[in-house]
């Protein structure tokens, strides 16, 4: 369970960095707040892996990329990683010990 808590911390760090990158221009008056999509950040970070993933998913079923994966990749990066942090944090939570005493 410690692995999920660690992943939750890493995902939350990535979400925070993505939110700061998106929120910096309006703070300094350089533009309005415009969150970047997950696909745009992925293409900027690793374009070859994005193309490989697109071709692999399209190879399975041509409609799968356009109808399922592409709409998911349009959500903002900080929302995606924030959601992953919540899921990993919930999966890694400490469970309560339940003691049952029977007479």
């Amino acid at each position: 369970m410690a692995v999920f808590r660690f992943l939750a911390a890493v995902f939350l760090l990535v979400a925070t960095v993505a939110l700061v990158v998106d929120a910096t221009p309006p703070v300094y008056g350089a533009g309005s707040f415009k969150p970047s999509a997950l696909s745009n950040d992925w293409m900027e970070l690793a374009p070859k892996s994005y193309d490989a993933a697109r071709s692999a998913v399209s190879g399975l079923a041509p409609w799968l990329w356009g109808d399922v994966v592409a709409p998911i990749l349009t959500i903002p990066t900080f929302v995606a990683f924030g959601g992953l942090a919540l899921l990993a944090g919930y999966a890694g939570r400490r469970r309560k010990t339940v003691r049952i005493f029977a007479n």
Side-chain angles (χ1 to χ4, degrees):
M1 294 304 151
V3 172
F4 287 120
R5 288 192 295 268
F6 175 75
L7 284 175
V10 170
F11 290 150
L12 188 60
L13 178 67
V14 171
T16 305
V17 168
L19 181 62
V20 167
V21 167
D22 290 340
T24 300
V27 169
Y28 288 110
S32 63
F33 179 72
K34 184 178 178 188
S36 60
L38 186 60
S39 62
N40 294 341
D41 288 338
W42 188 6
M43 282 190 285
E44 287 180 12
L45 186 64
K48 289 184 180 179
S49 70
Y50 180 81
D51 293 335
R54 183 175 55 197
S55 64
V57 171
S58 296
L60 293 173
W63 57 269
L64 192 60
W65 182 263
D67 294 339
V68 178
V69 179
I72 292 172
L73 293 177
T74 60
I75 62 174
T77 304
F78 69 92
V79 172
F81 280 99
L84 287 173
L86 285 174
L87 289 175
Y90 182 74
R93 72 189 187 283
R94 292 197 168 107
R95 303 323 194 265
K96 292 182 182 179
T97 303
V98 177
R99 297 180 183 216
I100 299 174
F101 297 100
N103 292 336

